[in-house]
Amino acid sequence: MPHLTPENTPRIGFIGYGAMASRMGDHLRAAGYTISAYTPSGRSPDPTVSMLATPRALAQQADAILVCVPDDEALAASMYGDNGALAGMKPGTMLLNTSSVSPEASTELFASGRKAGVIVLDSPVSGSTPEAETANLVILVGGDPENVAEAAPIFDAIGKLTLHAGPPGSGTRLKLVINGIMGAGLTTLAEAVGYGLASGLDRSTLFDALDQVAVISPHHKRKLRAAKEGDFASQFPARLMQKDMRLLLDAAAREVVPVPTLAAATQQLSLARRLSPNEDYSSLIRVMEKIVANDD
């Protein structure tokens, strides 16, 4: 199978075309690819993108499929059945699943693709909308090395680095590890901020000091700077972060790995999801500030 270059594979079909996927699509169009999409709502943030009625219809006219859906259920709904993408894909074409889903969903999709003669790579991305906007995503890929190499031009158009994590399913597992660290780090930060404010530290001094120290990641410093201004516009919504933490807890339990810290962080992020599901997951900082403010 030839490399997926714009010259010989110009048509990429997106299943899911929201905040992340539409930014990826912009970069792929700039690289010379033609983009079409399917969404359950039939709507796209970009009116210039051709929308198809079903995943199957999209797959029938695409040379490669890129999937960006929120969870296992959405993946299954778009992949399987008479109107699913697998029913319309030609043997030998490639399906790149950038969604954050369970390892079991990735394994099932790989097996189903193999039966249909379709090449499936689990390829979730590390990064939020700012990284998607600037093509600075890190793509975490599970699959055969030769297939990863074939997909490299697509990955290069949307990201700064592609990491081949191992055999099928490995990209999904690595994504859960990364998001677990990200989610637990934010909950620790939110709780520490709560203590700092309750102890009488000046709010601006506290936030500015945390922005300067090496123990906090650049990602979490970006969240802190936005939180200082009360900005919780969604770059990674709380509902998706809590979902990924839940998937990680289940995956760890299947491997009999104790993860009490991650379990506690998931409870905190469940609170953030309950209160503001579509705001950024860093809205947990606001929750802690409100708890402290009402502590007298």
Side-chain angles (χ1 to χ4, degrees):
M1 182 178 177
H3 283 281
L4 298 178
T5 61
E7 290 74 23
N8 61 24
T9 309
R11 299 172 298 178
I12 295 180
F14 274 85
I15 294 178
Y17 206 67
M20 291 290 289
S22 60
R23 288 166 169 83
M24 296 180 202
D26 288 342
H27 294 300
L28 287 164
R29 287 200 289 183
Y33 295 92
T34 298
I35 302 300
S36 56
Y38 162 81
T39 63
S41 67
R43 296 190 299 271
S44 163
D46 185 346
T48 68
V49 172
S50 173
M51 299 295 293
L52 278 293
T54 65
R56 179 175 182 167
L58 179 77
Q60 287 173 332
Q61 58 86 62
D63 298 299
I65 294 291
L66 199 153
V67 188
C68 192
V69 296
D71 52 33
D72 288 19
E73 293 76 15
L75 182 67
S78 62
M79 291 294 105
Y80 307 119
D82 291 343
N83 283 318
L86 288 175
M89 293 185 73
K90 300 178 287 293
T93 55
M94 189 167 284
L95 191 157
L96 310 176
N97 181 26
T98 70
S99 315
S100 295
V101 294
S102 69
E104 292 72 31
S106 285
T107 300
E108 181 183 1
L109 183 57
F110 174 79
S112 298
R114 184 164 55 184
K115 288 180 183 177
V118 171
I119 298 165
V120 176
L121 295 177
D122 53 293
S123 45
V125 299
S126 180
S128 300
T129 50
E131 289 78 21
E133 185 80 43
T134 58
N136 276 309
L137 297 168
V138 176
I139 299 95
L140 315 166
V141 190
D144 296 331
E146 60 270 23
N147 298 144
V148 178
E150 289 165 8
I154 290 178
F155 294 146
D156 290 346
I158 64 174
K160 67 176 181 180
L161 178 67
T162 298
L163 296 175
H164 182 205
S170 299
T172 296
R173 293 180 176 90
L174 181 54
K175 176 60 185 285
L176 292 182
V177 170
I178 292 168
N179 277 20
I181 294 169
M182 185 165 65
L186 191 281
T187 60
T188 300
L189 185 58
E191 291 176 4
V193 165
Y195 160 73
L197 295 174
S199 72
L201 290 174
D202 175 75
R203 186 178 187 275
S204 291
T205 299
L206 174 61
F207 278 74
D208 291 345
L210 293 175
D211 193 37
Q212 298 301 317
V213 295
V215 295
I216 298 176
S217 73
H219 170 83
H220 289 124
K221 287 183 179 181
R222 186 171 77 202
K223 299 301 181 187
L224 266 175
R225 287 192 291 270
K228 181 183 178 185
E229 304 303 323
D231 178 8
F232 299 100
S234 182
Q235 295 178 350
F236 188 10
R239 60 185 171 80
L240 295 183
M241 172 55 86
Q242 188 268 356
K243 177 264 301 181
D244 287 354
M245 298 295 286
R246 173 176 55 81
L247 292 177
L248 178 54
L249 291 189
D250 180 69
R254 291 172 185 269
E255 301 294 339
V256 200
V257 177
V259 288
T261 302
L262 294 171
T266 304
Q267 295 301 311
Q268 287 280 57
L269 290 163
S270 292
L271 177 60
R273 176 175 182 171
R274 172 66 64 178
L275 294 174
S276 50
N278 295 312
E279 288 189 291
D280 196 83
Y281 82 106
S282 60
S283 61
L284 183 60
I285 297 172
R286 180 179 60 201
V287 172
M288 292 303 300
E289 286 203 65
K290 287 185 176 180
I291 289 173
V292 171
N294 297 325
D295 199 35
D296 342 293

